[in-house]
Amino acid sequence: MALTPFCSPPPSLCSSFRSLRRGLFLPLLQAYPYTTSKGAVPMPETALMALRFEVLGRFNRARAAQLTLPHFVCQTPLFMPVGTQGTIKGLATNQLEDIGCQIILGNTYHLALRPTSELIDELGGLHKFMNWPRALLTDSGESSGWKANAPYTRGVYSNPSMCFTLAYFGYSCYINRIGADIIMALDDVVKTTITGPRIEEAMYRTLRWIDRCIAAHKRPYDQNLFGIVQGGLDPVLRDICVRGLVDRNLPGYAIGGLAGGEDKDSFWRVVAQCTAALPEDKPRYVMGVGYPLDIVVCSALGADMYDCVYPTRTARFGTALVPEGVLKLKNNAMAEDTRPIDSTCACMVCKNYSRAYIHSLVSKDAMGSQLLSYHNLYYMMQLSRNLHSSIVRGKFPEFVCNFLQKMFPKGDVPEWVCNAMEVAEIDISSCRARFRDD
Amino acid sequence: MKFVVKALSNGTARAGVLHLDSVAAAIDTPSLLLSTRKGLPLFTSPDLLSSFPSPDSRLLHVSPLHFLEGLSIKTISKIGGLHQLVGLHDCGFAAFPRDSIQCLPEATATNKTGASFETPCGRLLIKPAEYMEMMSSMKPELWATLADEVPAWVSDKRNKTSVDRTIKWLDECIALSPVSGAVFGAIVGGSSLEERRRCAQEVATRNVSGYWIGGFGLAESMDERPALLNAVTEALPEEKPRLICGLGLPEEILQGVAAGVDLFESTYIYHLTLEGFALTFPLDGTRINAPNVAGIDPRKINLRATVFRKDATPIVEGCLCYTCQNHTRAYINHLLNVHEMLAQILLEIHNTHHFLGFFGLIREAIKAGRFEEFRKDFVRSRYDGLVEDGSEPVLLAR
């Protein structure tokens, strides 16, 4: 495998652009020699893709689309539940279909460990192994496993390229054997709360690695390799990374490195910058998002796909997702409450069970986790469906206002949401309390 | 509730039909009561319940003790009773406090005011008045009167007290009886033949719709059990149904059927599921051809075993349960290894399905008049060629 020379990154231009304000004034950068195809392996014009992305409706930056993948035809915006180890905790595959899940995540690192990618391959791939007929996406294992254990993280090493070769050689085998419809490139992720040259290093490394991912990818006809934009919270780095990835003409792009504790104001700006710069005709996936509010904002800014452990994890802690925000079923007040979790929800749990009954189950019986996970995922799928249909029917601003009014009945919509909606050109003034200063 | 005996085999084993208002179809007996926790199965979610054979899976056991820790009587009444509470309408609930999985009678703490149980919430004492309030709010289709169950090793005096107390509580419960629900009189008596007979005779004189036989599965041996069971059933009128608690293993169920019991609560499925076992004994009535390979258990398989890592076959070929129709042994092996909840869900579904099939075989054998033959065959074939693996005694411990 040819090793590209290790190029030292150009001096950072962060200081010049620290005053970057509302979104989308992108600096007119000279094309850095590095970001053109020097040493990179560009995808041919007739890019090998295993998907089709057709935009069916728009509202300013938001779009509703049909994403055709080898195993399923999906409607975006969509939320993808996380099934790290080949299962969504506590739910059977037919329930996931009933709820309306379109794509599920699996984790390459965890599955490579147990039951091993060779075994999954031998048994016909992950779809067959877990009997999930719809689409699958495998991530490398950002927050655990892969990155934590790759050699370069453990202190002194001589040639990072050499280490990558060792790490990646395994990775490409694993992801091809597991056989998901979408496979995420191996990227170098750092927490957004970290500052300093490490972020720049990670961004450039991600770019170098994407070429090797492309070269090692053995199944471009039925597996889509998505590149991941890194660069921390620095707009200059993000821009370099976006351009580098777009040059490679990949089937889809993800915005990574977020959802890690950064403040919301920085978060939405990075999403806004990236969605503006990524191609219109390819899906955009914001990784690790998350809260329903974040999904609505990112969709308004032009993102299409999301994943997060939040809905299922919070279910196991006894918290239900409702239009008003969250409902903590463990709370003693729930013991006498005979209403359903959410009277507007059409799921099996809300149609049959009272808050009092679920309260008696949560944190004591497995059934409690199951029922809440079911409801929470149904809520997220319904949110996805509502986003898609409201954009297609031209009612997206009404949907957003309705959503915000329910969540912030007193009109106290957070500042960051207001700023983001301004950039997305969606008028949410009807949801905001008027502050009379005069 | 209506119960009719349709067939007898070998004198005492009977096949009958149970009609409950809430269940559309008639339930054939001998039948299994599915174990629940707060009214729902432990792992099988309600939308998957419909995949079980019907109506044999429509009888559910509920213990009122489960609700003492989080749901008040007032709230249950406000919601409208068990059916509304757990969202299951086409099924019948049988309510009695003992839940052989988690709420076992604590004979040392039971006193003249109430029955004590060891539960996950600690020790609970339940008095007849309180108990009847729960029955009124839960509105089960059938319920048992409060009993003082004692293990096999207690003194004769304590055993006698338990019988007197149980009869006294029976009368108190009947006096406080709610309007709906069929009352099953509780019968105890430990491991004393005279006490068992005495209790059964007393309860037989009361105005009850059926009989709940308690005190079994509390350390009496399998050898002494048949005589004790017969001492009870011989004293009871034939036309009323008998429900027993605490017989877990298939062989124990067969003992109960032979003595003339109709309804069974069993912990077998629960223990199998938790330990990673799936039932595999053949359900087509054929003799199990136990292979000569030592260590292979023809009754059940433990899906944690590495031999199943790549086994892409279902647990039982041809089984119509959700698990076997959708998943492989390899997948369940993986789920067990990574400690995923779905493993227990899938195992409980298969084991319930399979165990219900076993009850189907029992009913067929009785109707064909060859129950004793079936029973002897079944017991013998389960041990033929088997290496003693020590797994079954664990299940017998409780």
Side-chain angles (χ1 to χ4, degrees):
Chain A
M1 195 182 292
L3 303 176
T4 59
F6 181 81
C7 301
S8 54
S12 172
L13 289 187
C14 291
S15 50
S16 317
F17 293 93
R18 204 144 285 153
S19 58
L20 186 70
R21 300 287 290 167
R22 315 176 4 174
L24 310 184
F25 162 59
L26 284 176
L28 291 172
L29 297 169
Q30 296 299 317
Y32 281 99
Y34 188 82
T35 55
T36 54
S37 308
K38 179 171 181 174
V41 179
M43 298 278 275
E45 266 319 299
T46 49
L48 296 168
M49 298 198 350
L51 63 78
R52 223 174 51 234
F53 186 71
E54 301 164 60
V55 176
L56 302 174
R58 286 182 200 277
F59 188 89
N60 294 344
R61 296 172 58 148
R63 56 290 174 83
Q66 181 158 283
L67 171 64
T68 306
L69 292 168
H71 284 87
F72 198 64
V73 180
C74 313
Q75 315 293 324
T76 69
L78 58 75
F79 175 78
M80 303 181 282
V82 180
T84 308
Q85 306 195 98
T87 162
I88 307 285
K89 296 197 189 310
L91 293 172
T93 47
N94 82 315
Q95 292 178 299
L96 297 171
E97 284 181 86
D98 288 344
I99 290 170
C101 297
Q102 307 183 77
I103 313 179
I104 286 175
L105 252 74
N107 187 290
T108 311
Y109 175 79
H110 285 98
L111 292 170
L113 212 53
R114 298 184 291 194
T116 75
S117 59
E118 290 89 355
L119 188 144
I120 294 179
D121 191 28
E122 217 179 299
L123 294 177
L126 187 58
H127 283 91
K128 192 144 177 246
F129 185 60
M130 53 185 289
N131 195 19
W132 173 244
R134 298 184 178 184
L136 281 172
L137 185 154
T138 44
D139 184 20
S140 60
E142 185 176 299
S143 56
S144 65
W146 203 271
K147 300 305 177 349
N149 289 298
Y152 73 88
T153 62
R154 289 200 220 111
V156 179
Y157 56 91
S158 50
N159 187 342
S161 300
M162 183 64 90
C163 295
F164 172 82
T165 307
L166 295 168
Y168 190 72
F169 185 69
Y171 185 66
S172 63
C173 293
Y174 300 153
I175 51 180
N176 286 148
R177 282 192 206 122
I178 291 171
D181 302 69
I182 299 175
I183 53 182
M184 302 311 295
L186 191 62
D187 58 337
D188 187 5
V189 197
V190 287
K191 284 207 180 69
T192 41
T193 42
I194 287 175
T195 51
R198 178 75 185 94
I199 307 177
E200 214 172 317
E201 178 190 53
M203 186 277 286
Y204 283 111
R205 185 171 286 141
T206 299
L207 278 182
R208 290 194 298 278
W209 285 1
I210 189 67
D211 293 329
R212 298 173 202 183
C213 287
I214 294 168
H217 184 22
K218 294 185 193 56
R219 296 173 55 183
Y221 293 103
D222 58 2
Q223 288 187 282
N224 297 286
L225 178 67
F226 274 32
I228 307 180
V229 179
Q230 293 295 343
L233 301 175
D234 186 333
V236 174
L237 296 178
R238 286 278 175 181
D239 183 59
I240 296 171
C241 203
V242 167
R243 287 167 186 245
L245 290 176
V246 170
D247 262 355
R248 272 76 174 167
N249 200 9
L250 294 162
Y253 301 94
I255 302 164
L258 294 173
E262 71 280 348
D263 64 292
K264 286 290 194 249
D265 201 54
S266 312
F267 161 74
W268 80 259
R269 288 177 203 280
V270 174
V271 174
Q273 179 193 355
C274 294
T275 50
L278 288 169
E280 274 296 302
D281 59 344
K282 304 261 176 83
R284 303 159 182 165
Y285 163 27
V286 187
M287 304 183 81
V289 168
Y291 300 122
L293 180 61
D294 296 3
I295 290 179
V296 172
V297 170
C298 291
S299 300
L301 292 171
D304 313 296
M305 299 161 67
Y306 310 94
D307 83 280
C308 197
V309 293
Y310 174 67
T312 36
R313 182 172 291 172
T314 208
R316 296 196 294 283
F317 287 103
T319 301
L321 298 176
V322 290
E324 292 74 28
V326 296
L327 191 69
K328 293 198 193 301
L329 272 308
K330 276 203 242 184
N331 201 307
N332 283 329
M334 296 290 128
E336 311 275 301
D337 196 336
T338 55
R339 296 173 290 172
I341 290 173
D342 174 10
S343 54
T344 62
C345 180
C347 82
M348 174 266 293
V349 178
C350 294
K351 292 230 284 254
N352 288 295
Y353 301 99
S354 57
R355 296 174 181 194
Y357 184 65
I358 308 277
H359 166 82
S360 71
L361 290 175
V362 292
S363 72
K364 297 193 198 99
D365 298 292
M367 187 58 63
S369 300
Q370 278 187 48
L371 294 178
L372 272 184
S373 294
Y374 189 103
H375 164 76
N376 282 359
L377 279 188
Y378 188 94
Y379 182 86
M380 299 305 289
M381 296 306 124
Q382 189 59 42
L383 177 67
S384 306
R385 288 189 283 265
N386 289 342
L387 284 167
H388 176 88
S389 67
S390 66
I391 297 172
V392 164
R393 292 180 303 128
K395 299 269 185 222
F396 186 56
E398 289 92 329
F399 170 76
V400 173
C401 286
N402 198 21
F403 179 88
L404 292 174
Q405 271 159 2
K406 292 226 189 79
M407 198 170 271
F408 305 104
K410 296 200 198 112
D412 49 340
V413 180
E415 192 71 21
W416 71 273
V417 175
C418 301
N419 292 339
M421 288 303 176
E422 215 178 316
V423 165
E425 292 173 86
I426 297 194
D427 179 12
I428 56 165
S429 49
S430 59
C431 319
R432 304 187 60 188
R434 307 223 176 272
F435 293 102
R436 294 183 186 277
D437 286 342
D438 46 326
Chain B
M1 185 202 82
K2 238 176 48 173
F3 177 73
V4 180
V5 177
K6 292 284 191 187
L8 279 175
S9 182
N10 307 98
T12 43
R14 50 231 227 124
V17 179
L18 183 71
H19 298 268
L20 295 174
D21 287 335
S22 56
V23 185
I27 300 167
D28 291 324
T29 65
S31 182
L32 175 71
L33 269 63
L34 298 193
S35 301
T36 67
R37 180 113 191 105
K38 296 173 183 145
L40 283 181
L42 287 110
F43 300 106
T44 312
S45 75
D47 52 333
L48 290 173
L49 262 183
S50 52
S51 68
F52 288 145
S54 184
D56 15 346
S57 60
R58 292 293 179 255
L59 273 177
L60 301 177
H61 161 229
V62 179
S63 167
L65 299 176
H66 295 166
F67 295 106
L68 287 176
E69 61 179 1
L71 214 49
S72 70
I73 293 177
K74 209 176 69 179
T75 311
I76 299 177
S77 300
K78 190 170 164 204
I79 294 174
L82 279 172
H83 288 281
Q84 270 71 14
L85 186 70
V86 305
L88 296 174
H89 301 279
D90 181 32
C91 69
F93 288 104
F96 43 92
R98 174 177 167 182
D99 152 22
S100 302
I101 296 171
Q102 288 186 306
C103 300
L104 285 145
E106 188 48 59
T108 53
T110 298
N111 56 42
K112 63 182 179 210
T113 56
S116 177
F117 294 87
E118 203 65 69
T119 76
C121 309
R123 204 170 273 183
L124 299 172
L125 188 79
I126 190 153
K127 305 175 186 172
E130 222 183 307
Y131 181 70
M132 290 315 300
E133 266 180 40
M134 302 212 74
M135 291 303 129
S136 305
S137 85
M138 281 166 51
K139 304 212 252 285
E141 274 62 45
L142 60 98
W143 55 276
T145 59
L146 197 60
D148 174 10
E149 293 176 88
V150 296
W153 62 72
V154 297
S155 66
D156 289 340
K157 185 171 171 221
R158 177 67 182 90
N159 197 16
K160 187 173 178 308
T161 312
S162 80
V163 172
D164 295 332
R165 209 177 263 164
T166 301
I167 296 172
K168 173 165 161 283
W169 286 344
L170 184 152
D171 291 329
E172 282 179 37
C173 288
I174 292 182
L176 294 165
S177 222
V179 178
S180 65
V183 51
F184 276 45
I187 300 170
V188 291
S191 42
S192 152
L193 286 170
E194 302 85 60
E195 287 302 309
R196 282 282 175 187
R197 210 168 285 128
R198 176 169 83 92
C199 195
Q201 282 162 352
E202 271 300 319
V203 175
T205 65
R206 300 314 198 262
N207 182 19
V208 293
S209 310
Y211 304 99
W212 181 85
I213 307 170
F216 283 104
L218 295 176
E220 78 283 354
S221 74
M222 274 190 77
D223 297 325
E224 59 179 332
R225 196 181 291 139
L228 294 166
L229 286 170
N230 285 322
V232 171
T233 53
E234 276 159 13
L236 299 175
E238 277 201 2
E239 68 279 4
K240 293 188 184 168
R242 300 99 178 245
L243 194 165
I244 194 165
C245 217
L247 299 187
L249 299 175
E251 290 82 356
E252 299 178 306
I253 307 275
L254 290 172
Q255 281 185 326
V257 173
V261 179
D262 311 294
L263 300 168
F264 296 82
E265 176 250 21
S266 166
T267 60
Y268 194 45
I269 294 172
Y270 175 74
H271 288 294
L272 286 171
T273 301
L274 273 212
E275 290 168 34
F277 283 99
L279 287 173
T280 50
F281 58 80
L283 287 179
D284 56 1
T286 56
R287 263 188 77 104
I288 299 169
N289 292 320
N292 288 328
V293 181
I296 303 286
D297 185 342
R299 302 167 286 174
K300 58 191 194 289
I301 51 175
N302 190 321
L303 285 162
R304 284 184 213 275
T306 47
V307 68
F308 298 115
R309 277 193 81 230
K310 295 191 188 176
D311 191 337
T313 61
I315 297 173
V316 171
E317 206 74 53
C319 174
L320 297 173
C321 80
Y322 175 85
T323 305
C324 293
Q325 292 289 302
N326 288 286
H327 293 293
T328 59
R329 295 172 175 194
Y331 185 55
I332 301 175
N333 173 274
H334 163 68
L335 293 175
L336 284 166
N337 282 332
V338 296
H339 311 290
E340 282 284 349
M341 214 190 301
L342 188 59
Q344 277 74 45
I345 298 172
L346 295 178
L347 284 175
E348 188 185 66
I349 291 175
H350 170 77
N351 288 333
T352 304
H353 209 269
H354 205 88
F355 207 37
L356 288 172
F358 170 69
F359 276 82
L361 285 184
I362 294 176
R363 291 190 291 265
E364 258 176 66
I366 296 175
K367 287 177 194 160
R370 47 170 194 82
F371 174 70
E372 263 314 307
E373 198 190 306
F374 165 79
R375 180 183 166 204
K376 285 203 176 71
D377 240 5
F378 186 87
V379 172
R380 192 172 48 223
S381 66
R382 278 173 44 103
Y383 291 96
D384 266 356
L386 206 59
V387 173
E388 180 56 51
D389 63 0
S391 65
E392 294 287 274
V394 170
L395 300 174
L396 272 173
R398 271 290 194 190

